[in-house]
């Protein structure tokens, strides 16, 4: 095992690199992030005059021999082991935040640790491979590893299959945390995890900065890059990572993950969509018909995201809603006043309540964490003063170093010259937290008000019994029953066509997709596939009914024929 000594120098500055540690080899001098500095030599750094100026000190010149802390830059097996230690630290910080901030049980940390321990057993073979290649060639396969494959996979909706022996990606820390939630059957969805990570509350973006300097400095540039997010966490990314990681555990450990906590999550989704509570028993009765298990499948399919547990719940909610409360303006006549569809739903009031709810937490003229993280240079010219303050406040929390280094007099003096905590942050709008996320109490109160507004708009439908329906049919009047006027949409574009061009229908699909952090096209396709499963079940039932009628008719025919034969025999006996 070989090690490299590093020395301290000026800030690198290449590509905004803030590294101050350098090492020398046969190719010249480079910072620990891999940026070349051919003009920099160690002896010059250690004997240069240091000029220090601050508001309370005069300019002094002094020469001294630097007494530096020497950091070891590991290579080979030691480098990969150190990377895994840093990765484990990030995973522990995420699990600890979920326990201490979000109130998950203490057992959650133990479950996540056990999930990670199973993966370490598969990574042990890779560590041995690193050592063999390091001894044979003097180089490390981990140093030759490029993270571009993982970054491209994270950018696709359905990444390639993963194995537990592959180098873990940063996104898989979130996936491991969610698998721990599934094992404990906690009522938390991948959408919650992705929302917390994208908003900066849960550690994900800038994970490298959360690693202490003593652990961060020995990382080589390629492994350090794995802790930086090069792709914005978008809808569907975390769901894909969870599907592939659960499949990998099943393939290599025959590990089956239990179904998610359906009763609580179903009630929660119906409540957030402000739909009638009659949807709940309808979904519970529909799920066994098409054998929805609400668990992650052991095999990855081409359209895997359409059948993840959350997509199954949302698909059944939308199917039940379209069955009981169609958006079309046609009149529906229930058979009795006790069936779920006896109360009509005013979709225009539902749409108005939805807009009023979202307007309470809108941020006009403000920048939240994700807005600032995805900002481009051209966006700056359109910002107002408040948005500029929001961006600088975000930059201070995310990138700026708030405490001066204890072993660098020059940088400590610069901290004194340019303090960053003198200005107060912009005022927070009502109903929002300091990071511009909705306040929990205000959010719950707004949801309750939205549900009340929707319930007030419901009216009793006219009841037409089967007997009255037959009379209306003889009079030439149509009697549409619940479920008879059912609209289907195969693609997201179909929601804008004349057949489905209802604003409330598109709003329902969009809000459902956003709630579970899945693309709109995936939700539309998932609902369509669910409807196909119901049609297949209906055709199978009709076939069984036809076969039953044919069998009964054949038995009746045989019975009549047998009776006729008996009569003929009696007549023959009488003749005799």
């Amino acid at each position: 095992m070989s090690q490299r000594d590093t020395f301290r120098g000026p800030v690198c500055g290449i590509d905004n690199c803030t590294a101050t540690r350098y090492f020398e080899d046969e190719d010249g001098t480079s910072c620990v992030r891999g940026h070349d500095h051919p003009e920099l030599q160690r002896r010059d750094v250690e004997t240069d005059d240091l000029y220090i100026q601050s508001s309370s000190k005069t300019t002094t010149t002094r020469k001294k021999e630097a007494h530096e802390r020497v950091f070891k830059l590991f290579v080979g097996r030691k480098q990969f082991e150190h990377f895994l230690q840093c990765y484990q630290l990030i995973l522990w910080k995420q699990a600890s935040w979920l326990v201490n901030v979000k109130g998950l049980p203490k057992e959650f940390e133990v479950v996540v640790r056990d999930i990670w321990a199973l993966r370490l057993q598969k990574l042990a073979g890779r560590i041995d491979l690193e050592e063999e290649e390091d001894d044979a060639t003097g180089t490390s396969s981990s140093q030759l590893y490029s993270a571009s494959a993982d970054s491209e996979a994270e950018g696709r909706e359905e990444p390639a299959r993963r194995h537990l022996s592959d180098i873990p990606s940063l996104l898989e820390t979130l996936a491991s945390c969610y698998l721990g939630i599934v094992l404990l059957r906690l009522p938390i969805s991948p959408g919650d995890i992705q929302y917390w990570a994208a908003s900066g509350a849960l550690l994900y973006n800038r994970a490298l900065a959360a690693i202490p300097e003593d652990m961060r400095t020995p990382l080589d540039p390629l492994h350090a890059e794995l802790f930086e997010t090069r792709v914005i966490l978008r809808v569907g990314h975390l769901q894909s990572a969870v599907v592939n990681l659960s499949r990998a555990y099943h393939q290599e450990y025959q590990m089956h993950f239990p179904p998610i906590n359906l009763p609580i999550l179903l009630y929660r989704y119906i409540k957030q969509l402000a739909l009638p509570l009659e949807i709940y028993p309808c979904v519970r009765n529909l799920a066994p018909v098409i054998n929805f298990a609400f668990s992650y499948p052991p095999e990855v399919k081409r359209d895997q995201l359409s059948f993840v547990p959350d997509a199954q719940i949302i698909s059944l909610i939308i199917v039940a809603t379209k069955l009981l409360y169609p958006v079309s303006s046609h009149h529906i006549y229930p058979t009795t006043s006790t069936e779920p569809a006896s109360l009509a739903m005013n979709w225009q009031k539902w749409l108005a309540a939805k807009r009023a709810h979202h307007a309470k937490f809108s941020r006009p003229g403000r920048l939240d964490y994700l807005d600032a993280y995805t900002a481009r240079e051209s966006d700056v010219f359109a910002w107002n003063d408040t948005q500029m303050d929001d961006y600088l406040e975000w930059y201070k929390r995310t990138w700026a170093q708030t405490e001066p280094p204890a072993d660098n007099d020059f940088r400590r003096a610069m901290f004194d010259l340019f303090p960053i905590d003198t200005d107060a942050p912009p005022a927070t709008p009502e109903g929002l937290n300091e990071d511009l996320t909705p306040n929990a109490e205000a959010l719950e109160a707004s949801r309750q008000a939205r549900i009340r507004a929707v319930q007030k708009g419901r009216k009793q439908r006219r009841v037409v019994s089967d007997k009255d329906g037959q009379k209306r049919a003889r009079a030439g009047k149509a009697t549409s029953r619940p479920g008879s006027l059912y609209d289907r949409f195969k693609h997201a574009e179909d929601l804008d066509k004349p057949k489905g061009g209802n604003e409330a229908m598109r709003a329902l699909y969009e809000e459902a997709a956003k709630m579970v952090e899945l693309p709109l096209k995936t939700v539309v396709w998932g609902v369509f596939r669910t409807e196909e499963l119901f049609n297949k079940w209906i055709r199978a039932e009709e076939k069984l009914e036809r076969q039953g009628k044919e069998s009964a008719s054949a038995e009746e025919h045989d019975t009549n024929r047998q009776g006729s034969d008996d009569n003929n025999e009696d007549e023959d006996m009488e003749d005799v």
Side-chain angles (χ1 to χ4, degrees):
M1 179 185 66
S2 58
Q3 299 177 349
R4 292 175 177 170
D5 292 340
T6 62
F7 63 93
R8 185 179 294 278
V11 176
C12 173
I14 299 178
D15 294 335
N16 294 327
C17 177
T18 59
T20 58
R21 309 295 308 185
Y22 297 84
F23 63 87
E24 291 181 330
D25 54 17
E26 61 275 6
D27 296 329
T29 304
S30 303
C31 77
V32 293
R33 303 286 174 79
H35 300 128
D36 295 331
H37 290 267
E39 75 286 350
L40 187 64
Q41 296 184 3
R42 181 168 187 166
R43 60 178 179 274
D44 296 335
V45 174
E46 293 179 347
T47 58
D48 271 351
D49 294 342
L50 301 179
Y51 298 91
I52 304 173
Q53 181 179 3
S54 65
S55 58
S56 60
K57 296 181 180 180
T58 59
T59 303
T60 61
T61 303
R62 57 191 173 92
K63 284 187 176 183
K64 69 175 183 179
E65 220 174 279
H67 298 282
E68 301 284 350
R69 289 184 299 166
V70 177
F71 291 94
K72 297 178 180 179
L73 185 63
F74 303 121
V75 295
R77 171 176 179 169
K78 192 66 176 178
Q79 173 63 224
F80 189 62
E81 288 180 348
H82 186 70
F83 162 75
L84 293 179
Q85 291 175 356
C86 296
Y87 188 92
Q88 182 172 298
L89 176 65
I90 296 298
L91 185 60
W92 174 80
K93 285 178 175 288
Q94 293 172 341
S96 178
W97 183 87
L98 291 171
V99 170
N100 297 323
V101 178
K102 291 303 177 180
L104 270 63
K106 288 289 185 179
E107 295 80 6
F108 173 72
E109 290 187 75
V110 179
V111 172
V112 173
R113 183 195 63 190
D114 293 341
I115 291 175
W116 173 241
L118 290 176
R119 183 155 195 183
L120 280 178
Q121 294 179 15
K122 297 299 180 181
L123 289 170
R126 192 179 189 94
I127 294 176
D128 296 337
L129 180 63
E130 296 278 353
E131 185 178 27
E132 292 175 3
E133 294 189 1
D134 188 39
D135 294 339
T137 63
T139 60
S140 169
S141 62
S142 65
Q143 287 182 317
L144 302 177
Y145 170 81
S146 173
S148 59
D150 279 348
S151 64
E152 293 174 0
E154 290 177 10
R156 295 194 301 266
E157 180 180 330
E158 297 180 2
R161 291 188 175 188
R162 297 279 291 167
H163 301 278
L164 296 183
S165 58
D166 294 339
I167 293 184
S169 65
L170 184 60
L171 182 59
E172 289 175 342
T173 58
L174 301 179
S176 299
C177 288
Y178 181 70
L179 289 181
I181 290 172
V182 172
L183 288 174
L184 293 177
R185 303 200 69 195
L186 301 175
I188 296 176
S189 69
D192 298 326
I193 301 293
Q194 183 157 333
Y195 173 76
W196 295 331
S199 62
L202 178 59
L203 178 60
Y204 179 72
N205 299 313
R206 291 286 296 154
L208 185 63
I211 302 175
E213 184 181 5
D214 292 348
M215 295 182 65
R216 184 171 65 244
T217 304
L219 285 172
D220 64 21
L222 293 179
H223 284 98
E225 189 180 4
L226 295 177
F227 295 106
E228 293 287 2
T229 52
R230 296 169 301 281
V231 179
I232 302 299
L233 192 60
R234 301 191 183 279
V235 292
H237 286 184
L238 180 56
Q239 289 276 19
S240 297
V242 172
V243 169
N244 285 280
L245 195 59
S246 63
R247 172 201 164 274
Y249 277 103
H250 173 77
Q251 182 183 28
E252 303 189 31
Y253 287 106
Q254 289 73 48
M255 186 174 179
H256 293 270
F257 288 90
I260 62 175
N261 196 329
L262 175 63
I264 299 181
L265 286 175
L266 175 59
Y267 172 76
R268 173 186 164 190
Y269 289 160
I270 294 174
K271 179 180 178 181
Q272 291 184 9
L273 292 172
L275 294 174
L277 194 57
E278 290 82 356
I279 299 292
Y280 184 92
C282 184
V283 171
R284 296 303 300 269
N285 292 328
L286 289 175
V289 174
I290 54 178
N291 298 322
F292 271 2
F294 304 102
S295 60
Y296 285 93
E299 292 296 330
V300 178
K301 302 178 181 179
R302 184 177 59 86
D303 53 347
Q304 59 181 2
L305 291 187
S306 300
F307 287 101
V308 296
D310 292 270
Q312 290 178 341
I313 297 177
I314 288 300
S315 297
L316 288 177
I317 289 176
I318 294 179
V319 168
T321 302
K322 292 196 293 183
L323 282 173
L324 301 179
Y325 313 105
V327 182
S328 61
S329 58
H330 297 282
H331 293 287
I332 303 296
Y333 301 97
T335 306
T336 63
S337 59
T338 58
E339 59 182 276
S342 59
L343 285 177
M345 186 171 176
N346 191 326
W347 282 101
Q348 294 305 315
K349 288 192 175 182
W350 178 88
L351 191 60
K354 170 185 176 297
R355 291 171 177 169
H357 169 71
H358 291 292
K360 294 178 182 178
F361 304 100
S362 62
R363 304 175 293 269
R366 301 297 299 271
L367 295 179
D368 62 0
Y369 185 95
L370 189 59
D371 295 333
Y373 193 83
T374 57
R376 300 179 179 272
E377 293 85 349
S378 57
D379 298 336
V380 179
F381 299 102
W383 287 347
N384 54 33
D385 294 342
T386 305
Q387 289 174 317
M388 188 67 72
D389 291 339
D390 287 335
Y391 183 82
L392 293 177
E393 184 69 19
W394 167 84
Y395 192 91
K396 182 186 73 174
R397 295 195 308 265
T398 308
W399 295 91
Q401 186 175 349
T402 57
E403 296 181 0
D407 57 347
N408 193 310
D409 295 339
F410 176 75
R411 294 179 65 187
R412 192 162 57 247
M414 295 298 291
F415 265 87
D416 295 337
L417 286 175
F418 301 99
I420 61 175
D421 293 325
T422 55
D423 298 330
T428 303
E430 184 180 358
L432 299 179
N433 299 319
E434 293 183 359
D435 57 355
L436 299 181
T437 56
N439 180 270
E441 296 180 358
L443 184 62
E444 180 63 23
S446 179
R447 285 173 178 167
Q448 294 292 341
R450 178 185 176 185
I451 293 174
R452 286 193 294 268
V454 173
Q455 292 296 326
K456 288 180 181 179
R458 302 183 66 188
K459 295 182 179 179
Q460 180 71 41
R461 282 178 173 147
R462 178 185 172 185
V463 177
V464 177
S465 63
D466 292 334
K467 184 177 180 180
D468 293 337
Q470 294 175 358
K471 293 180 180 179
R472 288 172 57 88
R474 288 193 293 267
K477 297 180 181 180
T479 305
S480 300
R481 297 299 188 185
S484 60
L485 303 176
Y486 192 91
D487 296 327
R488 300 177 62 190
F489 312 99
K490 187 174 182 179
H491 305 289
E493 297 78 12
D494 297 339
L495 296 172
D496 298 323
K497 294 180 180 179
K499 178 182 177 182
N502 189 295
E503 192 175 2
M505 179 60 67
R506 169 170 275 276
L508 176 63
Y509 272 89
E510 289 179 345
E511 186 172 9
K514 184 178 180 181
M515 185 172 59
V516 295
E517 292 291 345
L518 285 172
L520 176 61
K521 63 178 183 179
T522 301
V523 172
V524 175
W525 178 250
V527 174
F528 180 80
R529 290 291 302 273
T530 303
E531 294 164 345
E532 285 291 314
L533 292 177
F534 280 114
N535 284 337
K536 184 178 179 180
W537 174 81
I538 291 174
R539 289 193 295 268
E541 291 294 315
E542 291 176 348
K543 183 178 179 180
L544 289 176
E545 185 178 357
R546 288 195 305 268
Q547 291 176 349
K549 290 181 178 179
E550 293 174 357
S551 177
S553 177
E555 290 179 359
E556 182 179 359
H557 177 72
D558 293 340
T559 303
N560 294 335
R561 183 177 179 181
Q562 182 66 31
S564 177
D565 293 342
D566 293 341
N567 291 334
N568 293 334
E569 289 180 359
D570 293 340
E571 292 177 356
D572 293 341
M573 291 298 295
E574 290 176 0
D575 294 339
V576 171

